[in-house]
Amino acid sequence: MNADTGYELAIERRIAATPARVWQVWTLQLEQWWAPRPWQTRVIELDLRPGGRSCMEMSGPGGEVSVMEGVVLEIVPERRIVFTNAFRAGWIPQTPFMVGLFSFAADGDGTLYRAASRHWDEATMKQHEEMGFQQGWAQCAAQLAEIAEAG
């Protein structure tokens, strides 16, 4: 645990595309990269403003379905996205799992992309880690990079 970040897991990746391009793919093409393949994502709603609803359904190759419902906390276009699943739309509390933080920083002619997940306690952080956080989030970042770099 870090006093500044709490119980955080994170990945970083340099993407050979501008922050504007990476932001565009992140926000407009989420269904194409959000879940590690062969999983698929369906965006139910993504209202990118503070207080906006974030709801996605992920489905696996074996018929597994996972709905992720949350609220957007902060948006800084082409720089930062923060959301939490501690609430669903209308500020209705639900059992929290994490706060997701995504940053897009200019790095020469590319972007340093950082995706982090902060948890309320060590047990939840370890649960997320054991679920395959590093591999899964790194694969999603690779999928995001693939689309952004092709465009």
Side-chain angles (χ1 to χ4, degrees):
M1 181 176 139
N2 177 317
D4 294 331
T5 60
Y7 299 98
E8 181 179 273
L9 300 170
I11 60 100
E12 290 185 357
R13 181 185 179 104
R14 185 181 190 286
I15 299 176
T18 65
R21 172 68 182 148
V22 178
W23 175 269
Q24 178 187 41
V25 173
W26 202 107
T27 59
L28 300 177
Q29 295 176 262
L30 196 89
E31 290 182 340
Q32 296 175 35
W33 66 269
W34 182 259
R37 293 180 191 117
W39 284 68
Q40 297 182 346
T41 300
R42 180 174 68 93
V43 174
I44 296 167
E45 185 174 354
L46 186 58
D47 183 359
L48 291 175
R49 62 178 177 84
R53 181 181 185 212
S54 169
C55 188
M56 293 167 269
E57 179 182 89
M58 294 172 34
S59 56
E64 310 92 331
V65 175
S66 176
V67 176
M68 296 173 40
E69 173 92 24
V71 173
V72 175
L73 299 174
E74 180 183 20
I75 294 290
V76 181
E78 299 179 14
R79 302 271 327 238
R80 184 172 166 93
I81 297 170
V82 181
F83 68 83
T84 185
N85 69 343
F87 302 95
R88 63 179 194 261
W91 302 107
I92 308 299
Q94 58 185 5
T95 302
F97 183 70
M98 69 173 199
V99 173
L101 303 99
F102 303 87
S103 64
F104 314 79
D107 184 34
D109 60 351
T111 301
L112 179 58
Y113 173 71
R114 185 172 195 277
S117 177
R118 292 183 184 165
H119 306 83
W120 272 254
D121 55 42
E122 185 175 10
T124 307
M125 179 186 73
K126 286 185 177 186
Q127 176 189 2
H128 200 185
E129 196 168 37
E130 291 168 4
M131 289 169 58
F133 171 86
Q134 289 293 336
Q135 180 182 2
W137 283 44
Q139 183 176 343
C140 290
Q143 292 167 182
L144 170 65
E146 178 184 323
I147 297 166
E149 292 170 352

PDB file of all heavy atoms in Angstrom, residues 70-96:
ATOM      1  N   GLY A  70     -21.422   1.542 -12.803  1.00  0.00           N
ATOM      2  CA  GLY A  70     -20.743   2.521 -11.971  1.00  0.00           C
ATOM      3  C   GLY A  70     -21.098   3.938 -12.330  1.00  0.00           C
ATOM      4  O   GLY A  70     -22.012   4.192 -13.120  1.00  0.00           O
ATOM      5  N   VAL A  71     -20.338   4.867 -11.747  1.00  0.00           N
ATOM      6  CA  VAL A  71     -20.565   6.290 -11.953  1.00  0.00           C
ATOM      7  C   VAL A  71     -19.233   6.951 -12.301  1.00  0.00           C
ATOM      8  O   VAL A  71     -18.202   6.661 -11.686  1.00  0.00           O
ATOM      9  CB  VAL A  71     -21.159   6.939 -10.674  1.00  0.00           C
ATOM     10  CG1 VAL A  71     -21.250   8.445 -10.804  1.00  0.00           C
ATOM     11  CG2 VAL A  71     -22.535   6.357 -10.388  1.00  0.00           C
ATOM     12  N   VAL A  72     -19.269   7.829 -13.282  1.00  0.00           N
ATOM     13  CA  VAL A  72     -18.092   8.598 -13.668  1.00  0.00           C
ATOM     14  C   VAL A  72     -17.862   9.669 -12.616  1.00  0.00           C
ATOM     15  O   VAL A  72     -18.792  10.363 -12.197  1.00  0.00           O
ATOM     16  CB  VAL A  72     -18.297   9.225 -15.069  1.00  0.00           C
ATOM     17  CG1 VAL A  72     -17.136  10.137 -15.427  1.00  0.00           C
ATOM     18  CG2 VAL A  72     -18.485   8.138 -16.119  1.00  0.00           C
ATOM     19  N   LEU A  73     -16.610   9.801 -12.170  1.00  0.00           N
ATOM     20  CA  LEU A  73     -16.270  10.796 -11.160  1.00  0.00           C
ATOM     21  C   LEU A  73     -15.578  12.015 -11.746  1.00  0.00           C
ATOM     22  O   LEU A  73     -15.808  13.134 -11.297  1.00  0.00           O
ATOM     23  CB  LEU A  73     -15.351  10.167 -10.094  1.00  0.00           C
ATOM     24  CG  LEU A  73     -15.940   8.994  -9.326  1.00  0.00           C
ATOM     25  CD1 LEU A  73     -14.880   8.388  -8.419  1.00  0.00           C
ATOM     26  CD2 LEU A  73     -17.163   9.424  -8.535  1.00  0.00           C
ATOM     27  N   GLU A  74     -14.691  11.788 -12.729  1.00  0.00           N
ATOM     28  CA  GLU A  74     -13.911  12.894 -13.283  1.00  0.00           C
ATOM     29  C   GLU A  74     -13.600  12.623 -14.751  1.00  0.00           C
ATOM     30  O   GLU A  74     -13.277  11.509 -15.127  1.00  0.00           O
ATOM     31  CB  GLU A  74     -12.596  13.037 -12.509  1.00  0.00           C
ATOM     32  CG  GLU A  74     -11.716  14.165 -13.001  1.00  0.00           C
ATOM     33  CD  GLU A  74     -10.386  14.247 -12.258  1.00  0.00           C
ATOM     34  OE1 GLU A  74      -9.949  13.262 -11.639  1.00  0.00           O
ATOM     35  OE2 GLU A  74      -9.777  15.334 -12.312  1.00  0.00           O
ATOM     36  N   ILE A  75     -13.695  13.684 -15.539  1.00  0.00           N
ATOM     37  CA  ILE A  75     -13.328  13.630 -16.950  1.00  0.00           C
ATOM     38  C   ILE A  75     -12.497  14.863 -17.256  1.00  0.00           C
ATOM     39  O   ILE A  75     -12.932  15.996 -17.007  1.00  0.00           O
ATOM     40  CB  ILE A  75     -14.583  13.644 -17.871  1.00  0.00           C
ATOM     41  CG1 ILE A  75     -15.398  12.357 -17.683  1.00  0.00           C
ATOM     42  CG2 ILE A  75     -14.201  13.840 -19.320  1.00  0.00           C
ATOM     43  CD1 ILE A  75     -14.751  11.100 -18.208  1.00  0.00           C
ATOM     44  N   VAL A  76     -11.310  14.656 -17.778  1.00  0.00           N
ATOM     45  CA  VAL A  76     -10.472  15.730 -18.299  1.00  0.00           C
ATOM     46  C   VAL A  76     -10.141  15.299 -19.730  1.00  0.00           C
ATOM     47  O   VAL A  76      -9.309  14.406 -19.915  1.00  0.00           O
ATOM     48  CB  VAL A  76      -9.186  15.942 -17.470  1.00  0.00           C
ATOM     49  CG1 VAL A  76      -8.362  17.087 -18.061  1.00  0.00           C
ATOM     50  CG2 VAL A  76      -9.513  16.189 -16.006  1.00  0.00           C
ATOM     51  N   PRO A  77     -10.830  15.837 -20.731  1.00  0.00           N
ATOM     52  CA  PRO A  77     -10.663  15.362 -22.105  1.00  0.00           C
ATOM     53  C   PRO A  77      -9.197  15.227 -22.517  1.00  0.00           C
ATOM     54  O   PRO A  77      -8.379  16.114 -22.284  1.00  0.00           O
ATOM     55  CB  PRO A  77     -11.392  16.418 -22.934  1.00  0.00           C
ATOM     56  CG  PRO A  77     -12.459  16.925 -22.000  1.00  0.00           C
ATOM     57  CD  PRO A  77     -11.784  16.943 -20.646  1.00  0.00           C
ATOM     58  N   GLU A  78      -8.922  14.072 -23.094  1.00  0.00           N
ATOM     59  CA  GLU A  78      -7.604  13.705 -23.615  1.00  0.00           C
ATOM     60  C   GLU A  78      -6.542  13.584 -22.531  1.00  0.00           C
ATOM     61  O   GLU A  78      -5.366  13.447 -22.819  1.00  0.00           O
ATOM     62  CB  GLU A  78      -7.145  14.658 -24.718  1.00  0.00           C
ATOM     63  CG  GLU A  78      -8.073  14.648 -25.909  1.00  0.00           C
ATOM     64  CD  GLU A  78      -7.665  15.585 -27.016  1.00  0.00           C
ATOM     65  OE1 GLU A  78      -6.527  16.088 -27.034  1.00  0.00           O
ATOM     66  OE2 GLU A  78      -8.508  15.811 -27.909  1.00  0.00           O
ATOM     67  N   ARG A  79      -6.950  13.582 -21.241  1.00  0.00           N
ATOM     68  CA  ARG A  79      -5.982  13.493 -20.134  1.00  0.00           C
ATOM     69  C   ARG A  79      -6.343  12.436 -19.093  1.00  0.00           C
ATOM     70  O   ARG A  79      -5.479  11.721 -18.648  1.00  0.00           O
ATOM     71  CB  ARG A  79      -5.874  14.857 -19.421  1.00  0.00           C
ATOM     72  CG  ARG A  79      -5.464  16.018 -20.259  1.00  0.00           C
ATOM     73  CD  ARG A  79      -3.994  16.247 -20.358  1.00  0.00           C
ATOM     74  NE  ARG A  79      -3.280  15.894 -19.153  1.00  0.00           N
ATOM     75  CZ  ARG A  79      -2.529  16.708 -18.448  1.00  0.00           C
ATOM     76  NH1 ARG A  79      -2.396  17.954 -18.810  1.00  0.00           N
ATOM     77  NH2 ARG A  79      -1.898  16.277 -17.377  1.00  0.00           N
ATOM     78  N   ARG A  80      -7.650  12.375 -18.689  1.00  0.00           N
ATOM     79  CA  ARG A  80      -7.966  11.542 -17.526  1.00  0.00           C
ATOM     80  C   ARG A  80      -9.439  11.146 -17.492  1.00  0.00           C
ATOM     81  O   ARG A  80     -10.319  11.958 -17.777  1.00  0.00           O
ATOM     82  CB  ARG A  80      -7.608  12.329 -16.276  1.00  0.00           C
ATOM     83  CG  ARG A  80      -7.753  11.636 -14.964  1.00  0.00           C
ATOM     84  CD  ARG A  80      -7.145  12.563 -13.892  1.00  0.00           C
ATOM     85  NE  ARG A  80      -7.485  12.187 -12.563  1.00  0.00           N
ATOM     86  CZ  ARG A  80      -6.744  11.391 -11.794  1.00  0.00           C
ATOM     87  NH1 ARG A  80      -5.627  10.890 -12.252  1.00  0.00           N
ATOM     88  NH2 ARG A  80      -7.126  11.116 -10.567  1.00  0.00           N
ATOM     89  N   ILE A  81      -9.678   9.901 -17.075  1.00  0.00           N
ATOM     90  CA  ILE A  81     -11.023   9.373 -16.830  1.00  0.00           C
ATOM     91  C   ILE A  81     -10.975   8.649 -15.489  1.00  0.00           C
ATOM     92  O   ILE A  81     -10.074   7.846 -15.252  1.00  0.00           O
ATOM     93  CB  ILE A  81     -11.462   8.381 -17.932  1.00  0.00           C
ATOM     94  CG1 ILE A  81     -11.555   9.078 -19.290  1.00  0.00           C
ATOM     95  CG2 ILE A  81     -12.788   7.712 -17.561  1.00  0.00           C
ATOM     96  CD1 ILE A  81     -11.751   8.144 -20.457  1.00  0.00           C
ATOM     97  N   VAL A  82     -11.939   8.950 -14.610  1.00  0.00           N
ATOM     98  CA  VAL A  82     -12.025   8.270 -13.318  1.00  0.00           C
ATOM     99  C   VAL A  82     -13.474   7.840 -13.116  1.00  0.00           C
ATOM    100  O   VAL A  82     -14.395   8.620 -13.337  1.00  0.00           O
ATOM    101  CB  VAL A  82     -11.595   9.201 -12.149  1.00  0.00           C
ATOM    102  CG1 VAL A  82     -11.679   8.455 -10.813  1.00  0.00           C
ATOM    103  CG2 VAL A  82     -10.197   9.761 -12.380  1.00  0.00           C
ATOM    104  N   PHE A  83     -13.647   6.583 -12.708  1.00  0.00           N
ATOM    105  CA  PHE A  83     -14.988   6.104 -12.378  1.00  0.00           C
ATOM    106  C   PHE A  83     -14.901   5.178 -11.175  1.00  0.00           C
ATOM    107  O   PHE A  83     -13.832   4.723 -10.784  1.00  0.00           O
ATOM    108  CB  PHE A  83     -15.650   5.396 -13.570  1.00  0.00           C
ATOM    109  CG  PHE A  83     -15.004   4.086 -13.955  1.00  0.00           C
ATOM    110  CD1 PHE A  83     -15.322   2.916 -13.293  1.00  0.00           C
ATOM    111  CD2 PHE A  83     -14.086   4.028 -14.981  1.00  0.00           C
ATOM    112  CE1 PHE A  83     -14.717   1.712 -13.635  1.00  0.00           C
ATOM    113  CE2 PHE A  83     -13.483   2.836 -15.339  1.00  0.00           C
ATOM    114  CZ  PHE A  83     -13.805   1.673 -14.659  1.00  0.00           C
ATOM    115  N   THR A  84     -16.055   4.904 -10.573  1.00  0.00           N
ATOM    116  CA  THR A  84     -16.130   3.958  -9.463  1.00  0.00           C
ATOM    117  C   THR A  84     -17.361   3.086  -9.627  1.00  0.00           C
ATOM    118  O   THR A  84     -18.345   3.495 -10.239  1.00  0.00           O
ATOM    119  CB  THR A  84     -16.187   4.666  -8.091  1.00  0.00           C
ATOM    120  OG1 THR A  84     -16.141   3.660  -7.070  1.00  0.00           O
ATOM    121  CG2 THR A  84     -17.433   5.504  -7.934  1.00  0.00           C
ATOM    122  N   ASN A  85     -17.275   1.899  -9.052  1.00  0.00           N
ATOM    123  CA  ASN A  85     -18.458   1.049  -8.998  1.00  0.00           C
ATOM    124  C   ASN A  85     -19.057   1.039  -7.592  1.00  0.00           C
ATOM    125  O   ASN A  85     -19.854   0.178  -7.259  1.00  0.00           O
ATOM    126  CB  ASN A  85     -18.134  -0.365  -9.473  1.00  0.00           C
ATOM    127  CG  ASN A  85     -17.233  -1.105  -8.500  1.00  0.00           C
ATOM    128  OD1 ASN A  85     -16.594  -0.507  -7.641  1.00  0.00           O
ATOM    129  ND2 ASN A  85     -17.176  -2.404  -8.643  1.00  0.00           N
ATOM    130  N   ALA A  86     -18.671   2.020  -6.774  1.00  0.00           N
ATOM    131  CA  ALA A  86     -19.240   2.142  -5.432  1.00  0.00           C
ATOM    132  C   ALA A  86     -20.687   2.625  -5.492  1.00  0.00           C
ATOM    133  O   ALA A  86     -21.410   2.532  -4.504  1.00  0.00           O
ATOM    134  CB  ALA A  86     -18.406   3.096  -4.580  1.00  0.00           C
ATOM    135  N   PHE A  87     -21.069   3.170  -6.639  1.00  0.00           N
ATOM    136  CA  PHE A  87     -22.432   3.648  -6.851  1.00  0.00           C
ATOM    137  C   PHE A  87     -22.907   3.198  -8.222  1.00  0.00           C
ATOM    138  O   PHE A  87     -22.113   2.985  -9.122  1.00  0.00           O
ATOM    139  CB  PHE A  87     -22.486   5.189  -6.843  1.00  0.00           C
ATOM    140  CG  PHE A  87     -21.978   5.798  -5.581  1.00  0.00           C
ATOM    141  CD1 PHE A  87     -20.660   6.231  -5.474  1.00  0.00           C
ATOM    142  CD2 PHE A  87     -22.815   5.946  -4.484  1.00  0.00           C
ATOM    143  CE1 PHE A  87     -20.176   6.799  -4.312  1.00  0.00           C
ATOM    144  CE2 PHE A  87     -22.332   6.524  -3.310  1.00  0.00           C
ATOM    145  CZ  PHE A  87     -21.018   6.947  -3.219  1.00  0.00           C
ATOM    146  N   ARG A  88     -24.209   3.126  -8.367  1.00  0.00           N
ATOM    147  CA  ARG A  88     -24.794   2.997  -9.702  1.00  0.00           C
ATOM    148  C   ARG A  88     -25.520   4.305  -9.978  1.00  0.00           C
ATOM    149  O   ARG A  88     -25.555   5.194  -9.123  1.00  0.00           O
ATOM    150  CB  ARG A  88     -25.685   1.770  -9.798  1.00  0.00           C
ATOM    151  CG  ARG A  88     -26.890   1.756  -8.918  1.00  0.00           C
ATOM    152  CD  ARG A  88     -27.697   0.451  -9.164  1.00  0.00           C
ATOM    153  NE  ARG A  88     -28.996   0.553  -8.595  1.00  0.00           N
ATOM    154  CZ  ARG A  88     -29.339   0.049  -7.424  1.00  0.00           C
ATOM    155  NH1 ARG A  88     -28.472  -0.606  -6.692  1.00  0.00           N
ATOM    156  NH2 ARG A  88     -30.573   0.202  -6.974  1.00  0.00           N
ATOM    157  N   ALA A  89     -26.075   4.451 -11.151  1.00  0.00           N
ATOM    158  CA  ALA A  89     -26.729   5.703 -11.539  1.00  0.00           C
ATOM    159  C   ALA A  89     -27.669   6.186 -10.444  1.00  0.00           C
ATOM    160  O   ALA A  89     -28.330   5.384  -9.779  1.00  0.00           O
ATOM    161  CB  ALA A  89     -27.492   5.498 -12.843  1.00  0.00           C
ATOM    162  N   GLY A  90     -27.708   7.501 -10.256  1.00  0.00           N
ATOM    163  CA  GLY A  90     -28.555   8.103  -9.231  1.00  0.00           C
ATOM    164  C   GLY A  90     -27.904   8.104  -7.861  1.00  0.00           C
ATOM    165  O   GLY A  90     -28.568   8.334  -6.859  1.00  0.00           O
ATOM    166  N   TRP A  91     -26.599   7.831  -7.809  1.00  0.00           N
ATOM    167  CA  TRP A  91     -25.836   7.787  -6.566  1.00  0.00           C
ATOM    168  C   TRP A  91     -26.387   6.759  -5.590  1.00  0.00           C
ATOM    169  O   TRP A  91     -26.431   6.963  -4.382  1.00  0.00           O
ATOM    170  CB  TRP A  91     -25.737   9.173  -5.920  1.00  0.00           C
ATOM    171  CG  TRP A  91     -25.100  10.173  -6.820  1.00  0.00           C
ATOM    172  CD1 TRP A  91     -25.709  11.196  -7.476  1.00  0.00           C
ATOM    173  CD2 TRP A  91     -23.719  10.221  -7.213  1.00  0.00           C
ATOM    174  NE1 TRP A  91     -24.794  11.887  -8.235  1.00  0.00           N
ATOM    175  CE2 TRP A  91     -23.563  11.306  -8.092  1.00  0.00           C
ATOM    176  CE3 TRP A  91     -22.602   9.460  -6.906  1.00  0.00           C
ATOM    177  CZ2 TRP A  91     -22.347  11.644  -8.670  1.00  0.00           C
ATOM    178  CZ3 TRP A  91     -21.380   9.784  -7.478  1.00  0.00           C
ATOM    179  CH2 TRP A  91     -21.264  10.871  -8.342  1.00  0.00           C
ATOM    180  N   ILE A  92     -26.826   5.619  -6.130  1.00  0.00           N
ATOM    181  CA  ILE A  92     -27.321   4.520  -5.311  1.00  0.00           C
ATOM    182  C   ILE A  92     -26.116   3.674  -4.889  1.00  0.00           C
ATOM    183  O   ILE A  92     -25.416   3.128  -5.746  1.00  0.00           O
ATOM    184  CB  ILE A  92     -28.331   3.639  -6.096  1.00  0.00           C
ATOM    185  CG1 ILE A  92     -29.442   4.494  -6.711  1.00  0.00           C
ATOM    186  CG2 ILE A  92     -28.863   2.521  -5.216  1.00  0.00           C
ATOM    187  CD1 ILE A  92     -30.282   5.256  -5.734  1.00  0.00           C
ATOM    188  N   PRO A  93     -25.834   3.575  -3.585  1.00  0.00           N
ATOM    189  CA  PRO A  93     -24.674   2.797  -3.147  1.00  0.00           C
ATOM    190  C   PRO A  93     -24.809   1.319  -3.508  1.00  0.00           C
ATOM    191  O   PRO A  93     -25.914   0.761  -3.511  1.00  0.00           O
ATOM    192  CB  PRO A  93     -24.670   2.962  -1.628  1.00  0.00           C
ATOM    193  CG  PRO A  93     -25.484   4.188  -1.367  1.00  0.00           C
ATOM    194  CD  PRO A  93     -26.513   4.225  -2.459  1.00  0.00           C
ATOM    195  N   GLN A  94     -23.688   0.727  -3.845  1.00  0.00           N
ATOM    196  CA  GLN A  94     -23.623  -0.708  -4.036  1.00  0.00           C
ATOM    197  C   GLN A  94     -22.285  -1.168  -3.481  1.00  0.00           C
ATOM    198  O   GLN A  94     -21.415  -0.365  -3.188  1.00  0.00           O
ATOM    199  CB  GLN A  94     -23.802  -1.089  -5.507  1.00  0.00           C
ATOM    200  CG  GLN A  94     -22.798  -0.487  -6.456  1.00  0.00           C
ATOM    201  CD  GLN A  94     -23.118  -0.828  -7.912  1.00  0.00           C
ATOM    202  OE1 GLN A  94     -24.125  -1.439  -8.228  1.00  0.00           O
ATOM    203  NE2 GLN A  94     -22.242  -0.431  -8.801  1.00  0.00           N
ATOM    204  N   THR A  95     -22.118  -2.457  -3.315  1.00  0.00           N
ATOM    205  CA  THR A  95     -20.873  -2.958  -2.750  1.00  0.00           C
ATOM    206  C   THR A  95     -19.720  -2.529  -3.635  1.00  0.00           C
ATOM    207  O   THR A  95     -19.660  -2.895  -4.807  1.00  0.00           O
ATOM    208  CB  THR A  95     -20.925  -4.492  -2.627  1.00  0.00           C
ATOM    209  OG1 THR A  95     -22.042  -4.850  -1.823  1.00  0.00           O
ATOM    210  CG2 THR A  95     -19.652  -5.020  -1.994  1.00  0.00           C
ATOM    211  N   PRO A  96     -18.810  -1.728  -3.101  1.00  0.00           N
ATOM    212  CA  PRO A  96     -17.716  -1.216  -3.938  1.00  0.00           C
ATOM    213  C   PRO A  96     -16.632  -2.257  -4.159  1.00  0.00           C
ATOM    214  O   PRO A  96     -16.406  -3.117  -3.317  1.00  0.00           O
ATOM    215  CB  PRO A  96     -17.183  -0.040  -3.125  1.00  0.00           C
ATOM    216  CG  PRO A  96     -17.459  -0.424  -1.712  1.00  0.00           C
ATOM    217  CD  PRO A  96     -18.754  -1.200  -1.747  1.00  0.00           C
TER     218      PRO A  96
END
